[in-house]
């Protein structure tokens, strides 16, 4: 027999507005926001490509373009002008001022796309973790030039590590720009050779084939970025979408607006008025101006005085938004990057010990009991130890192969307990994905990624 249907309420128990309704009222007619992180080996052409894309979409003023053109001619490196566009935007954001380049963002037919930083150098990986932790999707740029793709892809290159990182951080949709194809006279054979290698690798890294799209292009000439191809050699064999259309087709992740508030802080700074500001991402829930929120792990109550999204003030922000908020009621000195603003009633768990299922991919010495690591959790970096090796799992079906293994080598999947030197806010992956992932690093190298499966001593 039929179960009585659950009634849809527009007001919740405590008489607050239904968050889903509030979201559709506020944002129903807006373009969806999509956060994209750009990854790839150094010199793959990431800055040039994104700069060119912004220029072609009219996000950069003629005046700025002209200035860069002149300057790059002067130093005889005209190709740099597009890269500068993006660099300037990056610097601007650091300084928190808006010049005429505006934000590193652009629009497609159905989306507003925000570009997150991802410098390509090896020592920038911690920053990239922050960027990728906030990204909905990733753009992987590879250099199609003969020899160059290979050096970026083979051991020591960053192509693999970046792809593994973003996947472990929860990014499942990927566009691959097979870039600089102008250097191979738009060779289809070269394109196929590269995509074949990447397909095999990305599948292994955990990307579904249907979630990865490959696009032949040149960031320098602008070919196939925002318009359909015009290059006769490319037209001979390619009739697929341009990069912009691929970005437009990405699925927008669901926004968990009805879950309890979780806001992860990735910057703390002095505002212009009273109070101080924190910026970060709302992982779950809704944040309203005037809300009382709990700063965790220290558990101090703070009040939200104002909210701004992309430098525009707003009365409300939702899960998935990157925002800056002005806080009062707590001392700025007591707030650190990596802290969470939580719903005061349904609080984020705070602990020093948790269980995780980890994938080990880069250790020189096998992991044994007591192994010291740095854990990266959202923007937080904290020293920790792997205190217990509980089980070694079968990679393909997740079944236990061995209980209490003595050590873990590369490519192993295992359940371990991790103890952190100080209390941190953390969630089980099944409860809040964004707060349930950790990366483990040792002397500047990412050795493993993990999902939180249990939390102790809350
Ligand atoms: P990033 O380190 O990945 O940001 O790479 P850059 O954007 O700085 O580019 C590295 C070098 O490759 C620069 O000298 C660019 O001029 C060159 N480059 C970038 N894109 C292309 C392209 O599509 N075709 C060609 N031929 N060269 C490119």
């Amino acid at each position: 027999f039929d179960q009585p249907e659950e009634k849809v309420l527009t007001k919740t128990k405590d008489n607050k507005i239904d968050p889903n309704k509030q979201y559709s009222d506020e944002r129903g007619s807006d373009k969806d926001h999509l956060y994209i992180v750009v990854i790839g080996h150094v010199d793959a052409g990431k800055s040039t490509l994104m700069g060119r894309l912004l220029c072609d979409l009219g996000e950069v003023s003629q005046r700025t373009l002209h200035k860069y053109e002149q300057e790059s001619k002067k130093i005889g490196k005209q190709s740099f002008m597009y890269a500068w566009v993006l660099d300037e935007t990056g610097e601007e954001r650091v300084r928190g001022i808006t010049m005429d380049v505006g934000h590193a963002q652009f629009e497609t037919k159905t989306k507003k796309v925000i570009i997150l930083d991802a410098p390509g150098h090896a020592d920038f990986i911690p920053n990239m973790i922050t960027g990728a932790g906030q990204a909905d999707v990733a753009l992987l740029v590879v250099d199609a030039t003969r020899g160059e793709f290979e050096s970026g892809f083979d051991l020591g290159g960053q192509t693999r590590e970046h792809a593994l990182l973003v996947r472990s951080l929860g990014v499942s949709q990927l566009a691959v720009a097979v870039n600089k194809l102008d250097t191979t006279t738009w060779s289809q054979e070269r394109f196929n050779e590269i995509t074949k290698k990447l397909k095999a690798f990305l599948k292994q890294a955990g990307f579904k084939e249907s979630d990865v799209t490959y696009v032949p292009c040149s960031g320098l000439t602008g070919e196939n970025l925002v318009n359909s191809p015009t290059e006769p050699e490319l037209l001979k064999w390619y009739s697929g979408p341009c990069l912009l259309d691929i970005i437009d087709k990405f699925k927008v992740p669901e926004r968990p607006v009805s879950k309890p508030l979780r806001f992860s802080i990735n910057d703390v700074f002095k505002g212009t008025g009273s109070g101080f500001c924190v910026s970060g991402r709302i992982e779950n829930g809704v944040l309203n101006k005037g809300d009382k929120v709990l700063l965790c792990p220290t558990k101090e109550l703070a009040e939200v005085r104002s909210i701004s999204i992309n430098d525009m003030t707003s009365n409300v922000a939702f899960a998935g938004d990157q925002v800056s908020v002005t806080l009062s009621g707590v001392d700025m000195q007591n707030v650190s990057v990596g802290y969470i603003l939580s719903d005061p009633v349904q609080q984020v768990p705070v602990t020093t010990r948790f269980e995780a299922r980890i994938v080990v991919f880069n250790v020189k010495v096998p992991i044994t009991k007591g192994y010291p690591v740095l854990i990266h959790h959202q923007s937080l970096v904290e020293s920790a130890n792997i205190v217990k090796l509980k089980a070694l799992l079968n990679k393909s079906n997740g079944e236990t192969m061995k209980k209490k293994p003595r050590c873990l080598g590369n490519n192993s999947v295992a359940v371990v307990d991790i103890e952190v030197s100080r209390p941190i806010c953390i969630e089980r992956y099944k409860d809040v994905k964004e707060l349930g992932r950790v990366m483990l690093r040792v002397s500047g190298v990412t050795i493993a990624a993990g999902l939180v499966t249990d939390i102790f001593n809350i």
Side-chain angles (χ1 to χ4, degrees):
F1 58 93
D2 283 348
Q3 292 278 339
E5 243 182 72
E6 230 180 319
K7 246 193 163 162
V8 184
L9 299 172
T10 48
K11 293 236 169 151
T12 54
K13 279 193 298 263
D14 45 4
N15 222 19
K16 273 194 189 158
I17 311 162
D18 174 3
N20 287 308
K21 180 167 184 322
Q22 198 183 3
Y23 182 72
S24 67
D25 286 352
E26 280 275 334
R27 299 280 177 83
S29 57
D30 287 6
K31 284 189 174 179
D32 284 321
H33 288 197
L34 186 77
Y35 291 87
I36 191 167
V37 63
V38 185
I39 57 172
H41 193 63
V42 58
D43 283 344
K46 298 178 293 297
S47 326
T48 306
L49 185 147
M50 294 316 288
R52 176 80 200 217
L53 187 111
L54 290 173
C55 292
D56 289 358
L57 289 172
E59 297 287 343
V60 184
S61 76
Q62 282 304 321
R63 191 167 62 79
T64 308
L65 261 185
H66 185 71
K67 187 177 92 191
Y68 289 149
E69 200 176 350
Q70 295 301 321
E71 284 173 13
S72 50
K73 261 188 198 151
K74 232 184 278 168
I75 64 164
K77 291 223 178 214
Q78 220 166 331
S79 64
F80 277 14
M81 72 181 255
Y82 294 114
W84 282 344
V85 169
L86 204 70
D87 288 348
E88 172 152 343
T89 315
E91 210 182 278
E92 244 184 72
R93 265 178 298 164
V94 173
R95 287 202 240 115
I97 49 171
T98 314
M99 299 195 297
D100 61 355
V101 181
H103 308 280
Q105 60 183 41
F106 58 92
E107 296 195 8
T108 66
K109 278 190 212 92
T110 64
K111 294 187 175 67
K112 180 173 203 165
V113 185
I114 300 102
I115 307 167
L116 299 163
D117 289 315
H121 306 275
D123 48 338
F124 277 118
I125 288 211
N127 290 353
M128 205 193 94
I129 293 175
T130 311
Q134 297 160 1
D136 297 320
V137 299
L139 171 66
L140 170 64
V141 181
V142 300
D143 182 344
T145 312
R146 288 185 203 286
E148 293 300 327
F149 169 75
E150 286 70 14
S151 61
F153 185 67
D154 291 343
L155 285 183
Q158 286 137 26
T159 311
R160 285 168 191 263
E161 185 172 16
H162 285 188
L164 277 169
L165 271 174
V166 294
R167 186 65 199 97
S168 351
L169 289 166
V171 172
S172 59
Q173 302 177 79
L174 192 65
V176 182
V178 181
N179 192 31
K180 305 198 195 179
L181 214 61
D182 55 300
T183 65
T184 69
T185 53
W186 301 96
S187 157
Q188 178 179 22
E189 195 193 316
R190 181 63 175 157
F191 178 80
N192 289 343
E193 183 188 352
I194 289 170
T195 51
K196 192 174 159 207
K197 281 190 186 157
L198 283 172
K199 269 183 191 156
F201 165 71
L202 291 173
K203 192 171 162 200
Q204 216 189 3
F207 288 95
K208 269 201 250 160
E209 222 169 289
S210 56
D211 286 338
V212 185
T213 320
Y214 300 84
V215 59
C217 63
S218 163
L220 192 62
T221 68
E223 182 69 18
N224 211 18
L225 296 187
V226 306
N227 293 309
S228 309
T230 52
E231 178 62 50
E233 289 300 321
L234 178 59
L235 279 170
K236 278 185 193 159
W237 57 271
Y238 186 79
S239 58
C242 63
L243 179 61
L244 194 71
D245 290 342
I246 290 171
I247 295 174
D248 186 58
K249 290 280 156 13
F250 275 130
K251 295 183 283 270
V252 177
E254 184 205 347
R255 287 170 174 249
V257 288
S258 54
K259 289 191 176 173
L261 176 76
R262 302 289 184 259
F263 173 112
S264 48
I265 299 176
N266 56 38
D267 200 6
V268 185
F269 54 96
K270 190 92 194 73
T272 43
S274 62
F276 65 97
C277 302
V278 297
S279 63
R281 176 177 159 111
I282 302 186
E283 313 292 356
N284 270 356
V286 179
L287 185 68
N288 287 287
K289 187 179 163 184
D291 274 357
K292 293 266 195 306
V293 293
L294 195 68
L295 176 73
C296 294
T298 48
K299 307 211 172 176
E300 280 188 89
L301 216 50
E303 189 181 330
V304 176
R305 302 297 292 270
S306 69
I307 302 175
S308 89
I309 308 175
N310 288 331
D311 291 336
M312 308 255 281
T313 54
S314 173
N315 286 327
V316 58
F318 300 96
D321 287 342
Q322 307 271 347
V323 299
S324 296
V325 305
T326 315
L327 290 181
S328 67
V330 287
D331 201 36
M332 182 169 165
Q333 259 114 46
N334 296 346
V335 186
S336 293
V337 166
Y339 279 18
I340 303 282
L341 296 179
S342 162
D343 182 305
V345 181
Q346 291 170 280
Q347 297 179 12
V348 63
V350 172
T351 188
T352 54
R353 190 177 170 122
F354 61 90
E355 179 193 85
R357 202 178 69 224
I358 62 169
V359 184
V360 183
F361 45 76
N362 208 352
V363 285
K364 291 211 177 72
V365 186
I367 293 175
T368 47
K369 190 176 158 183
Y371 197 89
V373 291
L374 280 183
I375 82 160
H376 285 246
H377 176 253
Q378 291 290 349
S379 310
L380 184 85
V381 184
E382 201 67 73
S383 58
N385 289 85
I386 299 178
V387 289
K388 208 177 210 178
L389 309 185
K390 289 173 142 172
L392 183 68
L393 307 182
N394 180 321
K395 264 195 287 185
S396 43
N397 60 16
E399 280 172 17
T400 302
M401 293 202 303
K402 188 174 184 189
K403 280 194 177 155
K404 297 188 186 165
R406 284 201 30 238
C407 63
L408 305 172
N410 282 332
N411 297 317
S412 53
V413 178
V415 180
V416 299
D417 280 357
I418 297 176
E419 200 157 286
V420 193
S421 56
R422 281 188 292 188
I424 62 168
C425 306
I426 204 156
E427 296 265 11
R428 283 182 300 184
Y429 180 76
K430 72 175 169 60
D431 298 332
V432 185
K433 285 196 178 62
E434 291 74 12
L435 299 180
R437 301 186 193 103
V438 290
M439 306 291 300
L440 308 181
R441 290 172 55 88
V442 174
S443 22
V445 178
T446 311
I447 59 154
L451 303 180
V452 179
T453 45
D454 207 353
I455 302 174
F456 308 114
N457 314 328
I458 300 176

